[in-house]
Amino acid sequence: MAFIPANVLKDLFTVNAKFYHAEVNGERFLMRREARISRIGSMQRKIDAVVIMVNPGSCQPTKALDHTLPGRMEMLPAMSDPTQRQLMILMECIGWNELTIVNLSDICEGDFTKFRAIERKFKLAGIPHSIFQDDNAIERTELLANTDQLIFAWGGSDHAKRLAKEYGLFEKGVFLPPYQYAVGLFHPVKLYPRHPRPALIIEQFKWVEEMTSLLNDKVSV
């Protein structure tokens, strides 16, 4: 796999996302329901793959977002990040045009200590913060019906393991129904689905190479 610089990727792909705000007891939080990586010029409506990760971190729209309720979400230009660029490389290797990222939680907070505190507020208030909660079942079904590939890639954090089990996706190396068709690259001992962008560059290359091989093998079966 050849390295593809960020300045080359930005000429090949664009990132848009659905942002909204959630209010919990008077506090307003930025949320992201999904991010879409599209090959520039693509008119394809089918999503080549949906990738599930833990949460959007500190992701931001490129322009200030007016107060937006969940029912009024629109696709807006978003700032790309290193993980999205890693997925762009995967798309280039496989020849994909459209990839959607959704998360176990929509909360845009990269600090896991702060994330857990915010998540606790949502839970106590009974306000959903994930497409995998029952309140969002229709939206989730529509999204997943528009793709043939579902990739688990949320990494090894305790928060990700807990949410994946709580929402009925995955537990101890086992895909739970109705997600048996999903794929992932797993830690050999701890059995969590590895994140697309590990810390070491050599491991980043390895993830793309192994995921490309896994997906190609799945298509050829």
Side-chain angles (χ1 to χ4, degrees):
M1 184 198 81
F3 172 73
I4 306 177
N7 64 321
V8 173
L9 291 171
K10 75 177 180 61
D11 291 333
L12 295 173
F13 299 98
T14 184
V15 179
N16 293 279
K18 288 184 178 180
F19 292 98
Y20 66 99
H21 293 98
E23 291 200 7
V24 182
N25 297 325
E27 287 187 88
R28 184 180 296 175
F29 298 97
L30 179 66
M31 316 286 282
R32 190 188 79 191
R33 176 51 48 85
E34 66 177 86
R36 177 76 60 87
I37 303 174
S38 301
R39 188 178 296 275
I40 293 173
S42 169
M43 301 297 290
Q44 181 176 306
R45 301 185 69 178
K46 182 86 172 179
I47 302 169
D48 291 299
V50 172
V51 178
I52 303 176
M53 290 187 284
V54 58
N55 78 318
S58 55
C59 179
Q60 297 285 330
T62 57
K63 296 181 180 179
L65 181 68
D66 293 332
H67 184 208
T68 303
L69 297 173
R72 302 298 297 273
M73 289 182 288
E74 296 179 351
M75 279 290 185
L76 300 173
M79 299 177 186
S80 65
D81 59 34
T83 297
Q84 291 170 354
R85 291 192 286 274
Q86 176 83 338
L87 292 172
M88 292 175 190
I89 294 173
L90 176 68
M91 292 174 70
E92 188 68 1
C93 288
I94 298 180
W96 283 345
N97 296 317
E98 301 284 341
L99 181 146
T100 290
I101 301 166
V102 294
N103 302 92
L104 297 171
S105 173
D106 294 349
I107 299 168
C108 293
E109 176 52 68
D111 183 301
F112 274 125
T113 300
K114 294 179 180 178
F115 167 80
R116 186 68 184 95
I118 295 170
E119 185 204 1
R120 197 174 293 117
K121 293 178 180 180
F122 276 78
K123 184 171 289 189
L124 289 172
I127 297 174
H129 60 91
S130 171
I131 195 171
F132 295 101
Q133 289 173 285
D134 291 344
D135 305 70
N136 298 313
I138 294 175
E139 183 180 356
R140 178 177 69 249
T141 299
E142 289 177 350
L143 174 66
L144 296 182
N146 193 35
T147 186
D148 295 323
Q149 300 286 356
L150 180 62
I151 300 172
F152 288 178
W154 50 71
S157 76
D158 290 339
H159 302 300
K161 293 174 185 176
R162 174 179 53 80
L163 291 172
K165 178 182 177 181
E166 182 178 335
Y167 299 149
L169 279 82
F170 185 83
E171 183 181 7
K172 296 180 180 178
V174 177
F175 297 96
L176 302 177
Y179 304 105
Q180 300 98 319
Y181 66 99
V183 298
L185 297 173
F186 298 103
H187 187 282
V189 177
K190 298 181 180 179
L191 298 179
Y192 60 78
R194 285 153 44 198
H195 191 275
R197 193 174 183 274
L200 297 177
I201 292 178
I202 191 170
E203 292 297 323
Q204 295 172 21
F205 278 89
K206 186 176 179 181
W207 189 93
V208 172
E209 289 174 349
E210 291 184 1
M211 182 56 74
T212 300
S213 177
L214 177 63
L215 291 165
N216 286 338
D217 287 347
K218 184 181 178 187
V219 170
S220 64
V221 170

